[in-house]
Amino acid sequence: MSLTSEKFHDTQDPRYSTRGAVHVPAGEGPTTWFAGDTYTIKASRESTNGSLGLVDATVPPGGGPVAHIHTRTDEAFYVLTGQLEILAGARTFIAGTGDFVFIPRGTRHRFKNTGVHSTRMLFMFTPGGDEGVFRYGDEPQPGHPPPVWTAERFKTPEILRFNEEFGIEIVPEADPSEVQAPPRQLE
């Protein structure tokens, strides 16, 4: 018997007996309405020992969060169906079905569904934790669409505390250098 086959049959080897896989069946995971979208947390900081957070999102036309920056976390998007307008730094572009987008920490970004059909995507945070903000969303109401949020809704005490703890900053949609002063009125 070779050393390889002996090792394969070694029931004491923790690589063969250690448990810890995370399995979230289709249609399961905590689901909330947040910023007019529907988010289901498939993996969290708690379930992955801090490694990552994974969210399944449905973004209706007009949906998407306000511009923001993750100061301690990288974020990645994979568009399953539809398309989204992505703001990344000063650049805006369209990401469609099958596209992958990586946003490094410290980069101003947001996504918005500018189409006429809902977009479905997965997004991931590394390390995990930032997905926890979705727990402060609204309880889904069957038969109703998620309400669109105003900027004020992002300023609830719970969301402000969460953002401070996890290093998330809400920022203006436009870069200050891109904003033009309004024309002066003639007197």
Side-chain angles (χ1 to χ4, degrees):
M1 181 180 278
S2 73
L3 183 60
T4 304
S5 61
E6 280 181 36
K7 194 65 169 173
F8 182 75
H9 296 292
D10 182 358
T11 58
Q12 301 302 312
D13 186 335
R15 296 176 300 167
Y16 299 108
S17 60
T18 300
R19 295 183 182 165
V22 175
H23 173 230
V24 181
E28 293 188 21
T31 301
T32 59
W33 285 345
F34 195 93
D37 308 334
T38 302
Y39 295 130
T40 300
I41 299 172
K42 301 304 262 184
S44 66
R45 174 179 68 166
E46 294 80 15
S47 68
T48 66
N49 198 28
S51 294
L52 62 92
L54 182 71
V55 179
D56 183 335
T58 300
V59 184
V66 295
H68 59 283
I69 296 170
H70 299 274
T71 62
R72 301 179 202 146
T73 306
D74 298 320
E75 188 170 8
F77 306 105
Y78 182 76
V79 181
L80 298 167
T81 60
Q83 65 179 32
L84 296 169
E85 178 187 85
I86 306 284
L87 168 70
R91 178 177 172 225
T92 302
F93 58 94
I94 300 295
T97 300
D99 287 358
F100 173 81
V101 178
F102 175 75
I103 307 289
R105 63 191 73 191
T107 303
R108 174 181 67 142
H109 66 284
R110 63 105 178 107
F111 55 84
K112 181 187 281 185
N113 183 342
T114 57
V116 296
H117 299 288
S118 289
T119 295
R120 187 149 170 254
M121 69 174 193
L122 294 173
F123 60 97
M124 179 171 59
F125 299 105
T126 57
D130 288 6
E131 73 286 346
V133 74
F134 302 127
R135 293 188 178 109
Y136 300 109
D138 303 315
E139 185 70 28
Q141 303 298 313
H144 298 278
V148 176
W149 287 16
T150 64
E152 290 304 310
R153 180 65 170 86
F154 291 93
K155 296 178 183 174
T156 65
E158 299 84 11
I159 292 174
L160 289 173
R161 268 194 308 277
F162 184 92
N163 288 349
E164 184 175 327
E165 179 181 347
F166 283 86
I168 301 169
E169 301 172 8
I170 304 297
V171 295
E173 172 78 16
D175 185 309
S177 66
E178 298 166 345
V179 177
Q180 296 178 357
R184 293 181 54 187
Q185 298 291 327
L186 295 176
E187 296 182 26

